[in-house]
């Protein structure tokens, strides 16, 4: 939320954000700095390059013993053939974010928790994380502070208003 507040000041009405968070997944624990780099990629590589900006949608939904979390933009997208290069490029120092996140998700939760990326040129990008609701040795940070907004969380709540 804090990152998006900064980006809203930077991009103004060119950045529209929608949060769709199911209450039953609010307690799901993600490894540190998994979500923020995906949001940053969507803003900087997807929407910032799109004339007029666009919509960023962050969704977290219940899926039985797992939560499905997605970060989706309607930005410029990219050629899907580049995805294999990007997922491993962090080992050479390029595209650190997505490759690092993919490795950490697989290390913490297992190989079946790799990222899924859907994209095409001029069609935006959607990154999907599958996260177990409960995982051995994955504990919440109980020092999270206070809620960032005074509004109650709903299934669909705009985070930032232009």
């Amino acid at each position: 939320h804090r990152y998006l507040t900064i980006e809203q000041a930077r991009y103004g009405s060119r950045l529209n954000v929608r949060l769709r968070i199911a209450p039953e997944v609010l307690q799901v624990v993600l490894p540190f700095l998994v979500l923020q780099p995906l949001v940053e990629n969507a803003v900087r590589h997807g929407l910032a390059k799109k004339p007029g900006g666009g919509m960023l949608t962050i969704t977290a939904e219940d899926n039985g013993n797992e939560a499905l979390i997605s970060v989706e933009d309607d930005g410029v997208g990219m050629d899907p053939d580049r995805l294999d290069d990007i997922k491993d490029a962090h080992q050479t120092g390029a595209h650190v974010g997505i490759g690092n996140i993919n490795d950490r998700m697989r290390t913490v939760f297992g190989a079946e928790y790799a990222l899924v990326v859907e994209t095409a040129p001029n069609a935006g990008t959607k990154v999907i994380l599958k996260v177990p609701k409960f995982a051995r040795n994955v504990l919440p940070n109980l020092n999270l502070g206070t809620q960032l907004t005074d509004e109650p969380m709903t299934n669909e709540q705009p985070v930032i208003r232009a």
Side-chain angles (χ1 to χ4, degrees), residues 100-115:
N100 186 352
I101 293 166
N102 191 52
D103 279 356
R104 287 190 297 130
M105 289 295 293
R106 294 177 68 195
T107 299
V108 172
F109 298 123
E112 65 272 23
Y113 294 99
L115 300 180

